Amino acid sequence: MASDKPHMNLAVVGHIDHGKSTTVGRLLFETGAVPAHIIENYRKEAESKGKGSFEFAWVMDNLKEERERGITIDIAHKRFDTDKFYFTIVDCPGHRDFVKNMITGASQADAALLVVAAPDGAMEQTKEHVFLSKTLGINQLIVGINKMDAVKYDEKRYEEVKAQISDLVKMVGFNPANIPFIPMSSFAGDNISKHSENTPWYKGVTLLESLDDLEQPELPTGLPFRLPIQDVYSISGIGTVPVGRVETGIMKKGMKVSFMPANKSGEIKSIEMHHEEVPQAQPGDNVGFNVRGIGKNDIRRGDVCGPEEQPPTVAEEFTAQVVVLQHPSAITVGYTPVFHCHTAQVACTFVELLKKLDPRTGQVKEENPTFLKAGDAAIVKFRPVQPMVIENFKDIPQLGRFAIRDMGSTVAAGMCIAVDAKQMR
């Protein structure tokens, strides 16, 4: 169903086991997106496996493997409506192996809901997710202090966790005064859709009210059309169907498009969204589309679709401002970790360390440093090992951000400030 309400993408982030999937399941249930009888079936199945508290989480975890392990793996897109918006939830896994999904998830979100369990408070991953959310361009944050039932709805514990998270978000440039901190229990349903009698001391908004208080970001419809591909399917009777989210510009039926770095062109025959055909799609829309002249093996995840006359930029080299989050030793020229940029994952080499910056002020501290370590901010020149699309953050911010991963963790994050474009025939 097409919606007249403005669309928002919400990333649900936080440490493993802090209740993200249960929160998402509860939101879907409270807004009527999941009928009660389905929850009832999940409840029975969960109880039969001895996981009674998981029924809401199971709404999201459709993969059998996840059910058995009891953790969330992939990013599941689900939609629900509030009075003001219709939301697509980008459920971001909290588990460390899945931070890279979190990166592709958060780079698509307009706002983030950070779920923190009251008994535990801020954990290592909580920090990483807050930092990544900010670096990946999320400017609106809601904090749900979850599992309040487990601390007997203790106001003092709520205030302690709120203070911890406030310090954390300040470090990355959020203003805690603008962030709602909601004491809640997704499992019991406290302060999700209505104010709970268990927290008479809390006078703020419920979770659903906080979602309606979000500001709708301006859609970047004036920028050139860009759609990073998430998957490519071959559907009988239709042909090749790439799937992805429109990041910028307007996608129209009949448009002539180029896919980069694959360097393939075609014409958009049809666009489908939420299983309905639509004449055009705009930023934030998750679509499947059929392209005349493109075979399944011509393009793949990580390629970017754009208009033939303004194709996506393929970088020979690019210069970026980065912040090193963690690294066991020093980073020097020649280091080649994997960059996660939109849906692409490409190894890039540190070619030249140009400047070290003061991370707080952005002023230059040192020209041509010999190495970088955790906590450093810098301007660096990179060379992708294989062709990749990246745009100047100033021109198309949605395709100018990236995270750098190595050894199973996020080493750094940054934004592209200049691209030396490769000439594509």
Side-chain angles (χ1 to χ4, degrees), residues 170-183:
K170 265 199 287 233
M171 277 163 48
V172 301
F174 283 109
N175 178 358
N178 301 335
I179 297 175
F181 290 84
I182 305 165

Side-chain angles (χ1 to χ4, degrees), residues 323-327 357 359 365 373-377:
V323 179
V324 182
L325 302 174
Q326 52 183 358
H327 194 272
L357 308 173
K365 277 206 315 207
K373 57 183 195 326
D376 283 346

Side-chain angles (χ1 to χ4, degrees), residues 274-293:
H274 292 300
H275 307 298
E276 280 178 31
E277 197 168 319
V278 292
Q280 62 172 54
Q282 59 179 24
D285 291 343
N286 289 298
V287 297
F289 57 107
N290 179 232
V291 187
R292 184 181 281 113

Side-chain angles (χ1 to χ4, degrees), residues 21-26 28-29 34-48 50-62 67 186-189:
S21 290
T22 304
T23 302
V24 169
R26 172 65 75 173
L28 293 173
F29 175 65
V34 177
H37 70 268
I38 291 187
I39 295 271
E40 191 47 47
N41 294 345
Y42 281 136
R43 187 195 307 270
K44 290 190 178 122
E45 193 182 336
E47 279 171 359
S48 73
K51 294 187 174 172
S53 70
F54 269 79
E55 69 258 12
F56 289 115
W58 283 31
V59 174
M60 288 305 278
D61 297 348
N62 296 326
R67 293 192 178 187
S186 302
F187 178 55

Side-chain angles (χ1 to χ4, degrees), residues 215-261:
E215 276 172 41
Q216 188 194 0
E218 256 177 61
L219 291 181
T221 49
L223 295 177
F225 162 59
R226 294 289 184 266
L227 179 145
I229 295 174
Q230 286 168 9
D231 274 307
V232 183
Y233 298 102
S234 193
I235 297 176
S236 57
I238 299 176
T240 302
V241 179
V243 173
R245 173 183 189 255
V246 179
E247 289 293 343
T248 54
I250 305 230
M251 173 186 207
K252 292 191 169 104
K253 203 171 148 170
M255 224 177 170
K256 291 196 164 36
V257 290
S258 289
F259 293 86
M260 292 293 173

Side-chain angles (χ1 to χ4, degrees), residues 30-337:
E30 297 279 351
T31 55
V34 177
H37 70 268
I38 291 187
I39 295 271
E40 191 47 47
N41 294 345
Y42 281 136
R43 187 195 307 270
K44 290 190 178 122
E45 193 182 336
E47 279 171 359
S48 73
K49 289 213 166 93
K51 294 187 174 172
S53 70
F54 269 79
E55 69 258 12
F56 289 115
W58 283 31
V59 174
M60 288 305 278
D61 297 348
N62 296 326
L63 297 178
K64 187 164 185 319
E65 178 198 6
E66 300 190 10
R67 293 192 178 187
E68 317 271 286
R69 288 169 64 189
I71 54 178
T72 313
I73 296 177
D74 207 356
I75 295 175
H77 287 284
K78 292 282 189 290
R79 71 164 281 179
F80 69 94
D81 287 71
T82 61
D83 292 343
K84 192 168 145 194
F85 298 114
Y86 93 81
F87 282 91
T88 302
I89 290 185
V90 188
D91 184 38
C92 301
H95 219 10
R96 180 158 294 291
D97 340 345
F98 312 129
V99 171
K100 57 177 180 288
N101 280 356
M102 147 82 196
I103 291 163
T104 46
S107 65
Q108 303 173 346
D110 301 307
L113 165 60
L114 173 67
V115 180
V116 186
D120 301 338
M123 309 283 279
E124 203 44 52
Q125 264 177 302
T126 316
K127 292 182 194 155
E128 189 172 3
H129 287 194
V130 167
F131 192 93
L132 281 172
S133 299
K134 188 65 176 178
T135 311
L136 294 166
I138 295 177
N139 295 316
Q140 305 189 72
L141 187 65
I142 295 166
V143 177
I145 299 180
N146 193 25
K147 305 196 182 183
M148 285 301 294
D149 49 333
V151 295
K152 304 194 168 39
Y153 303 100
D154 178 24
E155 184 182 3
K156 186 163 156 290
R157 181 58 189 156
Y158 162 79
E159 291 295 348
E160 285 167 8
V161 177
K162 180 179 170 179
Q164 272 180 16
I165 304 293
S166 297
D167 288 347
L168 200 95
V169 300
K170 265 199 287 233
M171 277 163 48
V172 301
F174 283 109
N175 178 358
N178 301 335
I179 297 175
F181 290 84
I182 305 165
M184 63 186 209
S185 164
S186 302
F187 178 55
D190 296 289
N191 293 327
I192 304 290
S193 61
K194 43 188 186 291
H195 288 87
S196 167
E197 293 168 0
N198 293 317
T199 53
W201 41 267
Y202 175 66
K203 299 293 181 260
V205 290
T206 63
L207 184 53
L208 284 179
E209 286 169 348
S210 75
L211 292 173
D212 269 342
D213 286 345
L214 291 168
E215 276 172 41
Q216 188 194 0
E218 256 177 61
L219 291 181
T221 49
L223 295 177
F225 162 59
R226 294 289 184 266
L227 179 145
I229 295 174
Q230 286 168 9
D231 274 307
V232 183
Y233 298 102
S234 193
I235 297 176
S236 57
I238 299 176
T240 302
V241 179
V243 173
R245 173 183 189 255
V246 179
E247 289 293 343
T248 54
I250 305 230
M251 173 186 207
K252 292 191 169 104
K253 203 171 148 170
M255 224 177 170
K256 291 196 164 36
V257 290
S258 289
F259 293 86
M260 292 293 173
N263 207 6
K264 297 283 189 234
S265 311
E267 183 187 320
I268 295 180
K269 289 198 319 202
S270 64
I271 306 170
E272 213 181 75
M273 184 164 135
H274 292 300
H275 307 298
E276 280 178 31
E277 197 168 319
V278 292
Q280 62 172 54
Q282 59 179 24
D285 291 343
N286 289 298
V287 297
F289 57 107
N290 179 232
V291 187
R292 184 181 281 113
I294 294 285
K296 180 168 183 347
N297 298 328
D298 289 341
I299 53 173
R300 57 192 186 131
R301 181 183 169 92
D303 285 345
V304 179
C305 178
E308 209 167 43
E309 66 281 4
Q310 279 182 301
T313 310
V314 179
E316 185 75 59
E317 293 190 328
F318 63 95
T319 304
Q321 183 170 325
V322 298
V323 179
V324 182
L325 302 174
Q326 52 183 358
H327 194 272
S329 58
I331 291 175
T332 52
V333 165
Y335 178 51
T336 309

